[in-house]
């Protein structure tokens, strides 16, 4: 069983994906980490994020053990990831890797922006997780504060809105709900309620 979870920045899709993966005993891939790792490799090598050929090379040589680096969760990496993720050659290099993961014998849970539309269009279950921009900014602010990263709520809101606009307007694999996705608005839901709602969708699809 493949569960595809998409949604905008800080919508809670990562937390939800992890819980669903634990519950159903499936491997989980946070695909945002792949884009963040490509961006981090470029920044560490002193390369410009505008250099599309370098971005494509960094994506092609991505090493999975980089995905555990805590720096990947930093705000600047999300921002940088959103820039290089618009490069078609970067997306193409990461596509095979994601599809191999999704093809595991038991199934998988993948979360990102284009899982239901491009990476796993045949997924049994597709969820599109959303929440108001201000609620998402509040959640991300809390999360960064817990990790000791100091930022203002208004800066995060501006970040989130810019990132969503960029992700939704790019030509290749833009952020959007698949036509057959179930849309789950978590603005008024806590993590447990979102999990219960998602579980009902998954159980109903079996
Ligand atoms: O989900 P996360 O915030 O970690 O993603 C970082 C960035 O990576 C997103 O803003 C988006 O530009 C890009 N991304 C993507 N496709 C995915 C996952 C992430 O374009 N499947």
């Amino acid at each position: 069983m493949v569960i595809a979870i998409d949604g905008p920045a800080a919508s809670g899709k990562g937390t939800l994906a992890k819980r669903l993966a634990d519950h159903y005993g499936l491997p989980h891939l946070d695909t945002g980490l792949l884009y963040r790792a490509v961006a981090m490799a470029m920044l560490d090598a002193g390369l410009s994020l505008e250099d599309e050929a370098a971005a494509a090379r960094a994506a092609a040589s991505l090493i999975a053990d980089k995905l555990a680096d805590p720096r990947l969760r930093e705000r600047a990496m999300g921002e940088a990831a959103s820039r290089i993720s618009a490069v078609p050659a970067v997306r193409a290099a990461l596509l095979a890797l994601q599809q191999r993961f999704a093809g595991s014998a038991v199934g998988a849970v993948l979360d990102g922006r284009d899982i239901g539309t491009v990476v796993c269009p045949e997924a049994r279950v597709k969820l599109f997780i959303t929440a108001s921009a201000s609620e998402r900014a509040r959640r991300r602010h809390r999360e960064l504060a817990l990790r000791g990263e100091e930022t203002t709520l208004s800066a995060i809101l501006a970040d989130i809105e810019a990132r969503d606009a960029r992700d939704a307007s790019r030509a290749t694999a833009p952020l959007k709900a698949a036509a057959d996705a179930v849309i789950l608005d978590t603005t008024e839901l806590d993590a447990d309620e979102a999990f219960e709602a998602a579980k009902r969708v998954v159980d109903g699809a079996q």
Side-chain angles (χ1 to χ4, degrees):
M1 173 172 62
V2 173
I3 303 177
I5 304 184
D6 291 302
S11 55
K13 62 187 186 306
T15 307
L16 182 62
K18 223 173 295 147
R19 286 187 68 170
L20 289 172
D22 283 349
H23 180 78
Y24 293 102
L26 298 171
H28 166 227
L29 181 62
D30 169 355
T31 65
L33 285 180
L34 303 175
Y35 293 90
R36 287 169 182 257
V38 171
M40 190 170 83
M42 293 186 71
L43 294 173
D44 285 353
L47 298 167
S48 158
L49 295 172
E50 310 289 315
D51 185 343
E52 299 197 358
R57 278 195 301 275
S61 59
L62 181 70
I63 304 170
D65 63 0
K66 285 263 189 301
L67 300 182
D69 192 320
R71 284 167 56 220
L72 293 176
R73 306 277 178 190
E74 289 172 7
R75 186 179 152 212
M77 295 304 168
E79 194 48 33
S82 151
R83 292 180 187 280
I84 57 93
S85 72
V87 178
V90 168
R91 305 202 69 85
L94 298 179
L95 183 61
L97 200 155
Q98 296 171 81
Q99 289 181 330
R100 252 195 326 274
F101 188 92
S104 106
V106 283
V109 180
L110 288 87
D111 71 275
R113 302 291 187 291
D114 62 339
I115 309 303
T117 50
V118 174
V119 179
C120 302
E122 308 295 332
R124 172 103 55 92
V125 181
K126 296 182 186 178
L127 288 164
F128 191 85
I129 312 301
T130 180
S132 71
S134 59
E135 175 57 23
R136 289 187 285 121
R138 261 195 300 278
R139 290 176 190 170
R140 180 53 54 90
H141 185 249
R142 204 165 43 221
E143 186 192 316
L144 290 172
L146 283 174
R147 282 210 310 277
E149 199 175 332
E150 301 236 347
T151 39
T152 64
L153 192 57
S154 60
I156 293 180
L157 181 61
D159 249 28
I160 280 183
E161 287 177 335
R163 201 133 73 83
D164 289 352
R166 208 180 302 126
D167 289 347
S169 65
R170 68 176 172 232
T172 310
L175 165 69
K176 71 163 189 260
D180 52 350
V182 174
I183 297 181
L184 186 60
D185 187 329
T186 68
T187 307
E188 306 286 337
L189 305 182
D190 65 23
D192 287 342
E193 291 166 333
F195 173 63
E196 290 304 324
K199 198 149 66 71
R200 278 195 293 277
V201 174
V202 177
D203 290 341
Q206 306 231 44

